Amino acid sequence: MIFTLLAGLLSLLPGKAQTHPAMQRFLDASYMQGASVSIMIKNVGDGSVLYSYDADREVIPASVLKAVTTATALEILGENFRYETAILYDGHIQGRILDGNIYIRGSGDPTLGSSDMGPDRDKIIREWITAIKNTGIKEITGSVIADESIFDTEGISMKWLREDLGSYYGQGCYGLNIYDNRYSLFLHTGEADSRPGIERSDPDMSSVSFHNYLKTKNIAGDSTYIVGFPYANERYLYGVVPANRSEYKLSGDIPDPALFLSGYLTELLEKENIKITQAPSCHRILSQEGKWNRKDRKMIIATYSPPLKELVRITNHISNNLYADALLKTVGLKYKQDELLSSFDRGVKSVSEHWEGKGLKTSSLCMFDGSGLALTDKITARFLCDLLSYMATQSGVSKTFVESLPRAGMEGTVKNTLGGSSLQGKARLKSGSMSRVRSYAGYVTAENKQYAVAILINNFSCKQSRIKIDIEQLLLSLF
């Protein structure tokens, strides 16, 4: 087509918007003044650039970064990789007494008790209990100990904002994770301008002190923050919730998932009439006290996550932050250099090392987590399109990755994007958004050709709903 030829020629102009009317209208909008824009549309078949604007500008990607994380995990770990969680014991069993401890050895699996694994959240825990009972143990002289040592204690990135700490979406990622590392807090709200009461939590968070500064208003939804640090059993509740609700649910992060899990398993074992002498604990606490036991351990049972291809699909469809950060830390275990790095940093090093080896220029990739929550994460449209093109044409897990991205207008976080349009189902896109950030990356199929698409917009001054509509109209005009 004439337009395609013209677009290809214009793409050679560095740093300039092409003269396509739709692009010019998009950039000329009053709320785009001062915005940072990085766009590229690339034919994955022949590598030609259909459209480009400031494709080398580094901008905040938000959750679009998950496309990088999941692609790397599939490449390095393989689509059939599974996380293993093991129940072990040390000491010896004499009669019905275990003179030792029970251990829960984690591998970073984010799916244990996850709501995305189905409604039966305790299915695997029941398997553990059955296996322990089958040993004949009726008494444990030690305790139940969570071994989360596969990752370090930096559950959250140092680059996250304060408003993310303690939130349901900013839950930390650890060597042992449980229930998406989230709890629900149920409130009873009275008349407007009163303080709601906290009724209960699920799972039980009675060890956590909630400082309640919430207010009720005559509103339909809430505007709230649950704020707190990892391992700290204090949470601060700010904002407003709807008045006159007999039950209203908020969600936050479990402060110490490993310790919570060892305590929960202890409780369930005791309900099965297994006596446990000592209090539950975890690697973090015991290592700090110089009491970490390195004795040989014997296996009772090992359980496994679904294959990685399923975790990647969930990560990209619903933009699961915990899953993404777990994948980043897991690929970090493959980084062999002897450096003093955090689990996050080792993951970032693995990502960079892998794509450099594939010939991609990673100097424009600045990562601090796998989820995209960090405002210091930066990426360019060119890097994204190069990665997307590689994954579509050269990767051994091409089909798995491409199909992990939700179909616009039909699935996941883009279910309400491009719905009813000519691109419904023909675009597979990972979306990303945060304050003054809107991003899309993925694939569009048009005229029997597949295109890699990256549209990254920062610092616009309109509402998210407005910029979303404009990006939809831009895509429809270009395809």
Side-chain angles (χ1 to χ4, degrees), residues 126-188:
R126 288 200 303 274
E127 290 180 18
W128 299 347
I129 292 170
T130 298
I132 292 170
K133 289 173 65 178
N134 286 342
T135 66
I137 294 171
K138 297 298 289 184
E139 182 178 346
I140 300 169
T141 63
S143 63
V144 175
I145 298 171
D147 181 357
E148 76 281 27
S149 61
I150 193 166
F151 298 153
D152 62 17
T153 57
E154 189 179 316
I156 63 171
S157 169
M158 295 296 182
K159 302 295 184 180
W160 287 4
L161 294 175
R162 179 175 178 265
E163 70 181 42
D164 299 326
L165 309 187
S167 69
Y168 71 94
Y169 62 85
Q171 70 272 56
C173 170
Y174 305 89
L176 269 168
N177 307 288
I178 185 68
Y179 302 150
D180 299 303
N181 294 347
R182 285 199 295 252
Y183 62 84
S184 296
L185 196 65
F186 294 89
L187 311 175
H188 179 87

Side-chain angles (χ1 to χ4, degrees), residues 210-224:
F210 291 99
H211 302 276
N212 182 7
Y213 299 103
L214 295 168
K215 291 286 187 180
T216 58
K217 295 288 183 184
N218 290 318
I219 53 177
D222 67 83
S223 176
T224 60

Side-chain angles (χ1 to χ4, degrees), residues 356-467:
E356 283 285 349
K358 299 298 182 181
L360 274 65
K361 183 181 177 182
T362 61
S363 59
S364 59
L365 173 66
C366 185
M367 291 181 73
F368 291 91
D369 58 15
S371 58
L373 271 179
L375 281 176
T376 44
D377 290 329
K378 298 290 174 62
I379 203 167
T380 66
R382 186 182 303 278
F383 177 83
L384 274 171
C385 280
D386 288 348
L387 182 145
L388 290 166
S389 295
Y390 173 90
M391 291 302 296
T393 59
Q394 300 179 58
S395 175
V397 288
S398 174
K399 186 174 186 289
T400 297
F401 176 73
V402 172
E403 293 182 355
S404 77
L405 301 174
R407 291 173 291 176
M410 300 175 68
E411 302 169 325
T413 57
V414 292
K415 185 177 182 179
N416 297 318
T417 301
L418 296 168
S421 75
S422 60
L423 291 181
Q424 176 174 315
K426 295 181 179 179
R428 286 186 175 271
L429 299 170
K430 180 72 197 77
S431 63
S433 66
M434 56 175 61
S435 180
R436 303 185 75 188
V437 174
R438 192 82 186 190
S439 304
Y440 293 92
Y443 303 96
V444 170
T445 301
E447 297 181 347
N448 296 319
K449 295 180 181 179
Q450 186 180 40
Y451 296 92
V453 174
I455 299 177
L456 311 170
I457 317 293
N458 289 185
N459 301 323
F460 50 86
S461 58
C462 61
K463 292 183 177 179
Q464 286 279 354
S465 57
R466 175 72 264 169
I467 199 72

Side-chain angles (χ1 to χ4, degrees), residues 228-434:
F229 286 93
Y231 311 119
N233 285 329
E234 286 189 297
R235 290 294 183 265
Y236 295 81
L237 280 58
Y238 300 105
V240 294
V241 294
N244 300 309
R245 300 288 184 92
S246 60
E247 186 172 86
Y248 193 80
K249 185 174 76 171
L250 301 177
S251 295
D253 78 319
I254 296 175
D256 189 343
L259 186 59
F260 169 83
L261 182 55
S262 63
Y264 186 54
L265 184 57
T266 296
E267 178 185 331
L268 294 179
L269 288 171
E270 288 177 339
K271 286 181 178 179
E272 295 291 332
N273 297 314
I274 296 176
K275 180 182 177 181
I276 303 174
T277 303
Q278 298 181 31
S281 193
C282 63
H283 172 267
R284 178 181 64 85
I285 292 173
L286 293 175
S287 62
Q288 285 177 340
E289 296 174 347
K291 298 178 181 178
W292 182 244
N293 187 345
R294 299 186 180 278
K295 292 180 181 178
D296 289 339
R297 303 173 193 173
K298 302 176 184 67
M299 179 78 74
I300 295 176
I301 186 175
T303 53
Y304 298 88
S305 73
L308 182 63
K309 58 186 176 183
E310 176 64 10
L311 275 61
V312 165
R313 186 194 66 80
I314 291 169
T315 304
N316 286 333
H317 266 63
I318 67 171
S319 208
N320 191 303
N321 292 325
L322 171 60
Y323 281 36
D325 286 331
L327 294 179
L328 180 73
K329 290 184 175 184
T330 303
V331 300
L333 298 173
K334 303 295 184 180
Y335 186 67
K336 300 301 183 183
Q337 301 301 315
D338 186 19
E339 301 177 52
L340 187 61
L341 298 170
S342 71
S343 294
F344 274 116
D345 289 340
R346 297 189 75 83
V348 170
K349 289 280 191 180
S350 282
V351 171
S352 180
E353 188 175 77
H354 179 76
W355 292 112
E356 283 285 349
K358 299 298 182 181
L360 274 65
K361 183 181 177 182
T362 61
S363 59
S364 59
L365 173 66
C366 185
M367 291 181 73
F368 291 91
D369 58 15
S371 58
L373 271 179
L375 281 176
T376 44
D377 290 329
K378 298 290 174 62
I379 203 167
T380 66
R382 186 182 303 278
F383 177 83
L384 274 171
C385 280
D386 288 348
L387 182 145
L388 290 166
S389 295
Y390 173 90
M391 291 302 296
T393 59
Q394 300 179 58
S395 175
V397 288
S398 174
K399 186 174 186 289
T400 297
F401 176 73
V402 172
E403 293 182 355
S404 77
L405 301 174
R407 291 173 291 176
M410 300 175 68
E411 302 169 325
T413 57
V414 292
K415 185 177 182 179
N416 297 318
T417 301
L418 296 168
S421 75
S422 60
L423 291 181
Q424 176 174 315
K426 295 181 179 179
R428 286 186 175 271
L429 299 170
K430 180 72 197 77
S431 63
S433 66
M434 56 175 61

Side-chain angles (χ1 to χ4, degrees), residues 44 63 65 87 95 114 123 136 138 169 190 256 289 432:
V44 301
S63 284
L65 191 67
I87 304 299
S114 172
K123 179 181 177 182
K138 297 298 289 184
Y169 62 85
D256 189 343
E289 296 174 347

